[in-house]
Structures are given as C-alpha cells and as structure tokens.
Amino acid sequence: MINLKAETRDRFKTSPEYKDLKQEQDLFKRRIQFIAFLSEKLKEEGVDAILVGGQAIDLYTAGNFATSDVDLLVTNRPVTEKLLNKFGFGKEANGLWFNKDLNIVIQVIPEPYSGDPARLRKFRVKDFELRVAAPEDLIANRLYSKSNPQRDSEQAIALLKIFADSIDNTYLNKVAKRDNIEDALAEARKYASKM
C-alpha cells in the first residue's frame, strides 16, 4: 500500500471540499457528498466509479436502509487507493478504507459492473456527478444474495415499490432468468404490490 506523506494528506484537510464535508452533520449526506467528490477525482484520473450495494439502496430509499460502509465499484484499484490515502483514509486489516475524521468506511471493489451500464442513474451532488447502480440491478442483486436473506428481500421489495412506475420489467425479468431468481422476484413483486 502507498502511504503518502503527511503534508499531502494534510493538504486535503485544508481544502474547501474537506471543510464542507466536516460541516455536514448528517452522515448519509456526508458519505454521498464524499463519494461524488471522489468519483469526480477518479474520473479526472481516467477511472470509472459506480456506487453499488447498501449505500446505493440507502440513496434510493431516502435513508430507510442505513449501511455502515460504502461499496464503490472501480476500474482501477491502485489509483483509487492512492486517492483514498491522499484524502486521509487508511486501509484496515479487513481491507476496508476508513477515515476517522469523516467517519466514512469504503470498500473498493475492482470488478466490472455486472448490470447494464446504460441503465446507471446519475445524480448531481454539489458540483459533482455520482453514478449509481440501476434499481433493477440492485433488486436482482438483493434477491440473488444469500448474505442476509430477510434484509436483502426487504430491500428488493422496497425498491420494487419505489420504482413501480418506472422499472424496466422486461430487463428485470431477463436478469432474473439469467440468475435463476424468477421465483424470488415473483414473491417480492407480490409483497411490493400489497404495500
């Protein structure tokens, strides 16, 4: 791992972006603001970044499913980790990156986006653009996941309800068939329709 000199890391602490982040009392907003800022800096380095996982679901559900870390899919892990280090993050033993001052934990995922990149949603956060996994892909991911079946199912149902009028069911059905989760999707749709 690259550890930058203290003065390089301290330079970020004197930046307007850092001061803005420190003033944000709402942890959810602070995380989203930082990830949008980081995504912009990564873009300048030629690295694509996509917010996935629990923080993406938290964004779509307006904070109903709080998560403890941010999952960020990137096309270049070394560049991403160098920037995180520059921005005051340290790599923990479990592989997560943590900034104590900002209380932000990031998991860097160096894998390609498994969904359709054309379906990514874009959010404007301050002066930065944040690309977020498509609701359809998050629903499929949660129904496929076995890490926490109850919570994953609740998140999929919430997304189905929130995006009931805009979801691309043809695409979602195709992904469900590919991932062999058609029964789980049918069950989640049934619950979402009763909400």
Side-chain angles (χ1 to χ4, degrees):
M1 181 186 88
I2 299 168
N3 275 315
L4 300 174
K5 294 179 182 175
E7 58 264 18
T8 302
R9 295 174 86 178
D10 289 342
R11 211 173 302 140
F12 175 63
K13 286 186 174 185
T14 62
S15 71
E17 292 86 3
Y18 181 82
K19 290 175 183 172
D20 203 22
L21 287 164
K22 282 296 285 182
Q23 288 176 2
E24 180 54 66
Q25 296 299 309
D26 185 288
L27 181 56
F28 169 77
K29 289 179 182 177
R30 186 181 324 134
R31 284 179 181 160
I32 294 298
Q33 192 176 326
F34 177 76
I35 291 301
F37 166 74
L38 177 62
S39 294
E40 194 72 28
K41 294 302 176 189
L42 287 168
K43 187 176 178 182
E44 291 171 10
E45 297 288 331
V47 178
D48 288 331
I50 302 167
L51 180 64
V52 298
Q55 190 70 52
I57 292 169
D58 202 25
L59 177 64
Y60 285 135
T61 62
N64 284 331
F65 294 98
T67 183
S68 59
D69 69 337
V70 175
D71 298 321
L72 192 64
L73 217 68
V74 298
T75 55
N76 189 319
R77 178 182 231 151
V79 170
T80 304
E81 291 183 343
K82 184 177 179 182
L83 274 177
L84 284 171
N85 190 255
K86 177 181 176 181
F87 297 145
F89 284 76
K91 193 170 188 178
E92 303 290 309
N94 60 6
L96 298 175
W97 287 82
F98 181 55
N99 181 308
K100 282 189 276 188
D101 291 339
L102 298 175
N103 194 22
I104 298 174
V105 179
I106 297 177
Q107 180 176 9
V108 177
I109 306 169
E111 298 170 12
Y113 183 62
S114 61
D116 180 357
R119 296 178 181 282
L120 293 172
R121 301 277 176 115
K122 295 177 182 175
F123 289 84
R124 200 86 195 141
V125 182
K126 300 273 181 176
D127 295 329
F128 312 111
E129 181 180 272
L130 177 61
R131 296 184 325 144
V132 182
E136 295 90 348
D137 292 324
L138 290 168
I139 291 165
N141 175 275
R142 286 307 187 224
L143 293 174
Y144 184 80
S145 175
K146 305 287 189 247
S147 63
N148 187 340
Q150 176 71 30
R151 183 173 172 87
D152 292 340
S153 181
E154 289 171 0
Q155 291 175 345
I157 291 165
L159 290 172
L160 282 165
K161 183 66 178 170
I162 290 167
F163 292 99
D165 295 334
S166 63
I167 204 154
D168 184 339
N169 284 302
T170 303
Y171 173 73
L172 185 53
N173 291 340
K174 181 177 143 188
V175 172
K177 185 172 184 169
R178 178 196 73 196
D179 294 345
N180 197 26
I181 56 167
E182 294 165 293
D183 291 343
L185 178 58
E187 188 75 12
R189 282 179 169 145
K190 186 171 78 176
Y191 281 109
S193 70
K194 292 178 182 178
M195 292 174 71

